[in-house]
Amino acid sequence: HYPPEIQAEMTLINFMVTEIGLEDQLLALTVSKERPDLEEQKAELISAQNEAKIKISELEEGILQQLANAQGDLLDNMP
């Protein structure tokens, strides 16, 4: 962090921005202005994808827990 007097005299540039990232941002802005229905659908799909990832993680954790607690033949522990 820089003191306010230095910040007032200069511009900080975030070099982490990539061309592809900027293209994605501009495309998202354009789509949201021209086709808000598509932007809403995209948000719903992203949400569904995140929920699916969480569910997969929970299922994997459950499988690992069952394997860790399994006694004897694994097939006998099937629900």
Side-chain angles (χ1 to χ4, degrees):
H1 293 119
Y2 297 97
E5 57 274 1
I6 292 177
Q7 286 184 0
E9 307 253 344
M10 60 184 256
T11 303
L12 294 175
I13 300 173
N14 182 354
F15 289 102
M16 297 300 295
V17 175
T18 63
E19 186 176 340
I20 293 172
L22 289 174
E23 287 176 5
D24 289 344
Q25 290 178 23
L26 289 173
L27 179 61
L29 284 171
T30 303
V31 169
S32 69
K33 296 290 184 189
E34 293 184 8
R35 295 287 305 272
D37 58 318
L38 289 179
E39 187 66 24
E40 183 179 338
Q41 184 181 13
K42 176 186 169 191
E44 291 170 0
L45 289 172
I46 290 172
S47 177
Q49 183 180 26
N50 290 338
E51 290 173 10
K53 287 180 182 179
I54 291 169
K55 183 66 174 174
I56 288 171
S57 178
E58 290 170 353
L59 291 171
E60 288 174 347
E61 184 66 31
I63 290 169
L64 291 174
Q65 188 70 25
Q66 288 179 6
L67 288 172
N69 296 329
Q71 297 175 354
D73 188 6
L74 289 177
L75 297 177
D76 292 339
N77 293 315
M78 296 292 290

